[in-house]
Amino acid sequence: MANSVLSFDSVTKSYGSRNAVDGLGFEVSERSVTGLLGANGAGKSTTMKLLLGLAAPNSGQIELFGALQGTPAFADAVRRTGSHIELPALYERATARQNIAIQCAGFGIGRRDPKIDAVLETVGLSSRSTDKVKSFSLGMRQRMSLALALVHEPELVVLDEPINGLDPEGVVEMRELIRSLPARGMTALVSSHVLDEIERTVDEIVIIREGKLIAEGPIASIITTSGIVLRVPAGNGDAALAALTAAGVAATVFENGEIRVDTGDQPGSVIAKVLADAGVYPDELRPQTADLESVFLDLTSTGEGVS
Amino acid sequence: MFAAELLKIRSMPAPRLTLIITLALILVGAVIVVVIAPEGASATAYYEVPDLIAQVIVAIGAIVLGAWIFGLEFASKTLRLAATVQPSRARLVLVKLGSAVGLLLAYVVAVVATTLLIGAIMASVGSVAFPFGQQLDSAISGGVEALLWGVLAFGLALLFRSYTAGLVATLVLALGVDVGLQQIPTVGKYSLGSATSSVGDAITGDAATLALGVALLTVAAWLIVVIGAGAARFITRDLK
């Protein structure tokens, strides 16, 4: 993995007797967009709160920009992040510009700094900059929250459900904005329930279930780890299935003539050899691709690990 | 961080409104005195009544502002944001405390100055002499007591993690619990109300229940206990 800006190592966080995060370990590489996926209650928000120092782990190590959680350096590392966790938190009776100016002041950025206008422009709120936030819709609040996360040009942007409340145009803009972050020297960790959107937005994903790591890695490898798909000549289906079963490989024949093979740890070439030994030569052999949604549902329902 | 707190104070309506309402009430009180002052009323009532009104209202205003400094973050759920801008929670508490003291000081100075001005005008209307030095001491005394209650409200809002709860708890303590405590023989004089009154009395030169040093230590002990408990809770617990 490229330089890691964030790593979790066997991190556990309990609330009462329930482990919200349970022995979680993963890394986020520099200048990547990483998706943090999990069902409701899987521990996504808790994970984000832990990395921002808003909650303390019961055990394990969190390292942010090389600083270990619990050390004085960790506070400095947190200041190198920008975040939007759960619902947008804004000063309702202040204007959009005032909200951003307050955030900027915390980072030593003056209230007339051009960064304020630039970030308002980026999130599409320039025309509403002097309006009080209490008049904003949920989508506008989401944009405001993103502006607060970005205005001080953090090195790591942590976004929890950033497209909640956005209209379709806003979703596309948000996707493009998040995709542009690595080119601006930033790293992003994004959680979302909208898996189709995550699939289009992120480079790497971390899937968690009940606070445990289920899968981690580049999105392309996770989506194609389900196995391979074969198409064999008509009449050879039973022979192929028998050969694969005899070799201890789980396979399923579908009505369209396709055979889906769970390759497990074995490379596709081994499957091809098993078939060739049985005198079956596939017309087609390709990785079984799936969309993120089906992989996610499969992984989170079975709990099978992928590395 | 102080710049951010200053900007919050300038951007939000609560501090301005509190000051405006305070000054308006003092002015209204003064006008009422002129309108209803009975024949033969004490000449000093022209400036003493506004001063008395100011002392009550400035205390309530200070409690509102003291609770507001942290209460704002709890009410708008912006504490997580503030805590990522200043991840050292202890430092965040200190910055907030400093901001609270600064805001309360500015508020009290504005009210004291206005009260003196109104008092001088009232004295002129009533054609009586205005004892500036005496009224200044009285206004400062009331202002200092108000400031101390405001700092307590800051601590209680932090402790209860709520603006409303901090406000209500301070008022209950000031108007109920403290009054009850003062009735207890021997230890009653160490209540916060008694101690702050003693500090105020030291400023005006009136006879005080506690010596100034003891009164200051007592006030400090009360504030350290409340703010310390609030800070300990804030620093050690997760932010939801």
Side-chain angles (χ1 to χ4, degrees):
Chain A
M1 182 170 271
N3 285 345
S4 162
V5 297
L6 168 70
S7 70
F8 272 50
D9 182 9
S10 306
V11 173
T12 295
K13 174 65 183 176
S14 306
Y15 294 108
S17 59
R18 187 180 68 86
N19 283 347
V21 170
D22 190 356
L24 184 62
F26 68 91
E27 291 189 3
V28 172
S29 51
E30 191 176 21
R31 295 194 184 191
S32 68
V33 178
T34 299
L36 182 61
L37 308 185
N40 285 338
K44 301 187 299 291
S45 294
T46 302
T47 301
M48 290 183 160
K49 287 178 189 169
L50 287 168
L51 81 89
L52 293 169
L54 300 174
N58 297 95
S59 62
Q61 281 193 335
I62 301 170
E63 197 173 324
L64 181 63
F65 297 115
L68 283 174
Q69 188 275 335
T71 65
F74 192 77
D76 294 331
V78 169
R79 278 177 62 82
R80 294 162 67 185
T81 68
S83 58
H84 157 73
I85 305 289
E86 295 171 339
L87 293 173
L90 305 162
Y91 299 107
E92 298 282 317
R93 293 181 182 275
T95 67
R97 171 173 268 283
Q98 285 171 334
N99 266 276
I100 296 173
I102 288 168
Q103 177 80 347
C104 283
F107 290 98
I109 302 169
R111 62 196 169 99
R112 291 190 179 83
D113 194 290
K115 283 178 183 163
I116 296 176
D117 287 322
V119 80
L120 281 166
E121 182 73 33
T122 301
V123 299
L125 286 175
S126 290
S127 61
R128 302 292 302 270
S129 66
T130 55
D131 291 351
K132 289 198 171 170
V133 164
K134 66 179 179 182
S135 67
F136 282 11
S137 66
L138 176 59
M140 292 165 75
R141 286 161 189 267
Q142 287 285 111
R143 291 166 185 264
M144 267 301 298
S145 191
L146 184 69
L148 295 178
L150 294 177
V151 69
H152 57 290
E153 298 174 346
E155 291 162 71
L156 173 64
V157 182
V158 180
L159 303 173
D160 191 10
E161 303 289 351
I163 60 170
N164 266 4
L166 294 183
D167 54 26
E169 188 185 351
V171 170
V172 173
E173 287 171 8
M174 182 68 80
R175 183 198 310 151
E176 288 172 356
L177 179 63
I178 294 171
R179 286 295 327 155
S180 73
L181 295 177
R184 296 159 63 183
M186 300 184 202
T187 303
L189 179 64
V190 185
S191 81
S192 176
H193 285 107
V194 187
L195 299 175
D196 178 50
E197 198 48 46
I198 283 281
E199 190 173 345
R200 297 185 200 192
T201 309
V202 307
D203 307 311
E204 306 199 3
I205 53 175
V206 173
I207 301 179
I208 57 176
R209 184 174 68 107
E210 295 174 357
K212 294 187 173 82
L213 180 71
I214 299 297
E216 178 191 14
I219 190 163
S221 73
I222 297 234
I223 287 179
T224 56
T225 51
S226 307
I228 59 174
V229 176
L230 304 171
R231 188 180 293 278
V232 295
N236 286 3
D238 289 343
L241 188 59
L244 291 168
T245 305
V249 177
T252 310
V253 180
F254 286 82
E255 286 184 2
N256 63 2
E258 283 186 356
I259 302 172
R260 294 194 182 177
V261 182
D262 183 357
T263 53
D265 295 334
Q266 304 186 66
S269 58
V270 172
I271 305 301
K273 185 173 185 309
V274 167
L275 293 173
D277 289 347
V280 177
Y281 297 95
D283 294 331
E284 186 182 352
L285 190 153
R286 58 182 160 80
Q288 179 179 318
T289 56
D291 59 14
L292 182 57
E293 184 176 78
S294 60
V295 171
F296 173 78
L297 291 173
D298 186 41
L299 290 171
T300 54
S301 61
T302 63
E304 288 176 8
V306 176
S307 57
Chain B
M1 278 304 291
F2 275 113
E5 294 303 317
L6 185 62
L7 213 47
K8 284 176 200 172
I9 291 167
R10 288 177 57 177
S11 303
M12 311 295 168
R16 278 196 308 276
L17 279 176
T18 305
L19 180 62
I20 290 168
I21 291 171
T22 303
L23 299 182
L25 287 175
I26 294 169
L27 194 60
V28 167
V31 169
I32 288 172
V33 169
V34 172
V35 172
I36 67 167
E39 289 291 326
S42 162
T44 58
Y46 279 98
Y47 54 80
E48 282 180 346
V49 172
D51 180 55
L52 188 64
I53 293 169
Q55 291 201 18
V56 174
I57 294 171
V58 76
I60 295 171
I63 288 169
V64 167
L65 291 177
W68 178 81
I69 287 284
F70 248 115
L72 166 73
E73 311 289 0
F74 291 118
S76 54
K77 303 187 190 318
T78 45
L79 203 51
R80 283 199 302 241
L81 198 62
T84 51
V85 175
Q86 178 48 268
S88 164
R89 305 248 187 109
R91 201 175 299 168
L92 183 57
V93 171
L94 289 175
V95 167
K96 287 276 189 188
L97 178 59
S99 304
V101 171
L103 173 62
L104 290 168
L105 208 53
Y107 169 74
V108 163
V109 167
V111 174
V112 165
T114 307
T115 306
L116 288 174
L117 181 65
I118 291 174
I121 294 170
M122 292 294 295
S124 168
V125 170
S127 302
V128 296
F130 181 65
F132 182 81
Q134 177 192 318
Q135 288 307 109
L136 177 64
D137 287 348
S138 173
I140 291 175
S141 164
V144 169
E145 288 183 44
L147 191 146
L148 295 173
W149 283 105
V151 174
L152 180 82
F154 166 88
L156 287 172
L158 176 61
L159 182 62
F160 292 116
R161 295 187 171 200
S162 160
Y163 174 54
T164 310
L167 200 60
V168 171
T170 312
L171 290 172
V172 167
L173 184 64
L175 303 175
V177 177
D178 196 83
V179 174
L181 282 177
Q182 289 186 40
Q183 306 310 312
I184 301 172
T186 312
V187 295
K189 61 186 175 186
Y190 297 105
S191 73
L192 182 61
S194 176
T196 53
S197 293
S198 295
V199 173
D201 289 341
I203 294 169
T204 55
D206 294 337
T209 311
L210 296 172
L212 179 60
V214 177
L216 287 172
L217 283 175
T218 305
V219 169
W222 273 93
L223 296 181
I224 287 169
V225 166
V226 172
I227 296 172
R233 186 178 184 208
F234 177 67
I235 291 166
T236 56
R237 299 274 184 92
D238 294 343
L239 290 183
K240 290 180 180 170

